[in-house]
Amino acid sequence: MRLLWLIGAVGISVAVSASAATARPGTLDPTFGEAGVATIRDPFVELVPSFIAEQPDGRPLVFGQLQFPTGRHASAAVYRLTARGRLDRSFGDGGRALLEESPGGHVAMTDGGGLAIASQLVDETTAPVGISVTWLDRDGRRLGATPARFSRGSHALSDIVALPDGGVMVATSNRPTDSRAADAGVELIRFSAARSVDAAFGLGGRVLVKPPYAFGEPKLAVAPGGALLLASHEPNIEEGGGNIVLGRVTPTGSQDLTYGSAGTTVIPQAPRQFQQLNDFEADARGRAVVLVSRLSADAGFSWSVARLDEAGGLVRDAHGASGLVFDLALESDGDAIATGMRDGSDSASTVFRQLGTGRADGTFGRSGAAERRFRSEPFPFALAVQRDGRIIQGVALRGRGAQPDPFVVLRFWGGHDTRPPLVRLRRGCGGRVRTVRVRISDRSRIAAIDARAGGRALRARAQKRLTLRIRRGRRLRLTVYDRSGNRTTRRLALRPCSAQRSSRSRSTTASERLPLRSVAMRMRK
């Protein structure tokens, strides 16, 4: 029975590995949920996902606002799924963590897989008086909340991002209610990893960045080294929307005037066209990638991806497709992934992939877009790229029944695995020459192989399987570099190869103290 179970487990593992190796990017991952779609139903409320991310162990977290079927607002919640797309009952209370306050949908994943959730504090007249950051650990347990009161002005909570040191940064748009125009701008409030306002940042943990960043909903992205990229609107009173303005803030909170032109870069709005900032990210080199929606009377809704260089210069603003988009994620090589809906396709959620060159990736889905149709109307608001390269999408469904509608999480094959390659080594002998057989998980990801033994470099071609012949040295050091910049290093002690043993069988006695499972008892006749 145990043998049959082992054979079945090995067969399943081989089948999953084979499907991962042959899967076409943009197709649903059949190992997740039901044929790539995980459906989560709650008997009392329904969730509108606005944030999705992967914990370090590969389990997705989904955050969103809860609503009753009648439309009355309830609160917010976080759900956790297993790596296979099932509701993880070990998280929070039976798979979800409820939040009584109304965070407003601004969430960041902290170091270790916890969450920092920013909410707006209001008084009896519902006027904003401050913000609060609620902290959850990786298993959905509440760690506390940190409030921060506003001094003056009418602040609007706009974004939160996680910082490399474990803290978070919150952005609010400050629009003074009186004649104090000097207070207009974006106020940045920094919270340390100890879950308190970082008094060492700016003035008591706050920095005011001057206009033109005071309008719209300013968004943040973290560049390498801890610098912050900031994007917002410069309003167009006549046509709505407006120019999109970007800048950079140093880790100490001062505006970087070397960025763009005197500290700002502008993505202009075309005449007779409405332009909106949807989302933006910073790639591994600190370059801004901006997701922009546009509306014109002639062409309807469309979207584009604008890319800047490290100095803030606008490199390109590449048209994507017709339709609506909501969220942006970047893959390891800088390709842009967007979630939304095609124009004229109200029953299908879509994931788009645009290459760094500005062209649609023809190898992804169908002409750069992967669709999934539903019987209910989908709202694909959330998107993330996992470390193994697969893409997860959070979609709210809206039907016409009285019962709460479920939300779904889809997982697509992406083809950009960002994990270090898996390397297996096996010692052997070729006569008196020591050999090491090397097997690497994915040949397409290998950029170079560096093998050294006895202070000498060995000839090792960048291929999935190879055999190293080692004549000198007692230890082997093998380093595999992949195309995403990751590397895997393995060290192996080398044993001398003695002469070939006699093929004559011998009896084995218990006095040799060998493990019982490794002893092959052979009786001499």
Side-chain angles (χ1 to χ4, degrees):
M1 185 69 178
R2 181 175 297 177
L3 179 60
L4 292 176
W5 176 87
L6 179 61
I7 293 175
V10 172
I12 293 173
S13 175
V14 172
V16 170
S17 301
S19 64
T22 59
R24 185 171 183 267
T27 57
L28 287 169
D29 178 6
T31 66
F32 185 80
E34 297 293 335
V37 181
T39 303
I40 307 300
R41 296 182 180 274
D42 195 302
F44 303 106
V45 293
E46 54 192 34
L47 185 84
V48 181
S50 59
F51 173 86
I52 189 169
E54 177 196 24
Q55 288 188 316
D57 58 4
R59 290 181 286 186
L61 286 181
V62 184
F63 169 87
Q65 296 288 333
L66 290 175
Q67 292 183 344
F68 288 106
T70 58
R72 183 167 63 89
H73 175 75
S75 63
V78 183
Y79 290 77
R80 185 168 73 184
L81 279 63
T82 66
R84 292 292 185 183
R86 309 298 181 189
L87 187 63
D88 188 350
R89 302 290 180 181
S90 66
F91 180 82
D93 183 10
R96 73 175 183 182
L98 287 175
L99 299 163
E100 297 300 329
E101 63 272 17
S102 176
H106 299 286
V107 189
M109 178 169 285
T110 58
D111 189 24
L115 291 181
I117 307 169
S119 60
Q120 188 94 54
L121 296 178
V122 297
D123 59 14
E124 297 80 2
T125 64
T126 68
V129 296
I131 63 169
S132 177
V133 176
T134 301
W135 309 85
L136 300 181
D137 70 4
R138 59 175 297 152
D139 292 319
R141 292 183 290 265
R142 183 187 175 103
L143 301 176
T146 309
R149 293 276 175 171
F150 299 143
S151 55
R152 53 182 174 265
S154 177
H155 293 251
L157 175 65
S158 60
D159 203 4
I160 181 173
V161 292
L163 301 175
D165 61 359
V168 298
M169 187 78 76
V170 177
T172 66
S173 177
N174 185 14
R175 304 166 188 168
T177 55
D178 53 20
S179 59
R180 302 181 63 92
D183 295 331
V186 175
E187 187 170 62
L188 302 177
I189 307 175
R190 181 184 175 111
F191 296 81
S192 67
R195 304 193 299 276
S196 61
V197 177
D198 188 356
F201 177 75
L203 184 61
R206 307 159 189 260
V207 166
L208 182 66
V209 183
K210 298 296 184 179
Y213 305 105
F215 307 100
E217 288 192 1
K219 297 183 181 298
L220 299 175
V222 181
L228 286 174
L229 296 179
L230 179 66
S232 188
H233 276 111
E234 187 179 50
N236 186 316
I237 304 300
E238 295 181 356
E239 299 184 7
N243 298 334
I244 296 174
V245 184
L246 295 97
R248 185 165 59 197
V249 179
T250 66
T252 59
S254 59
Q255 190 173 353
D256 186 354
L257 298 180
T258 66
Y259 190 80
S261 176
T264 60
T265 296
V266 176
I267 302 175
Q269 176 173 283
R272 298 184 299 279
Q273 189 179 72
F274 176 88
Q275 178 173 271
Q276 179 180 345
L277 169 66
N278 285 98
D279 196 11
F280 94 114
E281 301 286 345
D283 66 8
R285 294 170 54 182
R287 299 173 298 185
V289 182
V290 188
L291 182 64
V292 183
S293 286
R294 294 185 171 93
L295 173 63
S296 65
D298 300 331
F301 285 102
S302 63
W303 59 272
S304 67
V305 175
R307 294 179 181 267
L308 281 65
D309 58 23
E310 293 93 330
L314 182 61
V315 177
R316 68 176 58 88
D317 187 358
H319 174 74
S322 297
L324 294 172
V325 289
F326 306 103
D327 199 9
L328 172 72
L330 295 182
E331 295 186 303
S332 58
D333 58 357
D335 291 348
I337 304 294
T339 176
M341 296 180 292
R342 285 182 182 270
D343 193 13
S345 181
D346 296 337
S347 62
S349 65
T350 307
V351 174
F352 304 92
R353 176 191 276 171
Q354 189 186 88
L355 301 174
T357 58
R359 296 183 177 181
D361 184 0
T363 66
F364 182 81
R366 183 174 297 178
S367 302
E371 284 189 350
R372 174 62 160 82
R373 295 191 173 275
F374 299 94
R375 294 181 179 179
S376 304
E377 185 178 5
F379 293 89
F381 292 146
L383 181 78
V385 177
Q386 295 183 302
R387 280 177 290 277
D388 60 7
R390 286 177 279 193
I391 300 164
I392 47 178
Q393 180 190 37
V395 182
L397 300 178
R398 284 293 174 269
R400 297 181 180 180
Q403 298 299 319
D405 293 307
F407 74 91
V408 297
V409 177
L410 292 78
R411 189 162 74 183
F412 297 88
W413 294 110
H416 291 71
D417 197 340
T418 60
R419 298 172 302 175
L422 180 63
V423 180
R424 292 188 176 93
L425 304 179
R426 183 176 180 181
R427 288 181 290 242
C429 288
R432 293 179 178 271
V433 179
R434 293 165 297 178
T435 63
V436 175
R437 293 182 180 180
V438 182
R439 297 187 64 181
I440 304 173
S441 57
D442 189 355
R443 165 68 182 87
S444 63
R445 298 175 51 209
I446 304 172
I449 297 177
D450 180 37
R452 296 180 179 273
R456 301 179 60 185
L458 307 177
R459 296 182 61 183
R461 298 178 60 184
Q463 55 190 30
K464 186 174 181 178
R465 298 183 182 184
L466 67 152
T467 301
L468 302 175
R469 299 175 63 84
I470 305 169
R471 300 181 184 275
R472 298 181 182 179
R474 296 182 178 181
R475 296 186 67 85
L476 168 69
R477 190 189 71 181
L478 182 80
T479 303
V480 179
Y481 299 88
D482 72 0
R483 302 184 187 278
S484 300
N486 300 309
R487 67 178 181 181
T488 299
T489 300
R490 294 285 185 269
R491 291 176 173 85
L492 188 68
L494 302 173
R495 301 171 182 173
C497 285
S498 58
Q500 295 291 333
R501 294 182 178 181
S502 172
S503 60
R504 182 181 177 183
S505 302
R506 66 181 182 88
S507 62
T508 306
T509 63
S511 62
E512 293 184 72
R513 299 185 182 275
L514 295 176
L516 180 61
R517 293 183 180 179
S518 64
V519 175
M521 301 299 294
R522 291 175 295 182
M523 303 300 295
R524 181 179 300 171
K525 294 182 180 181

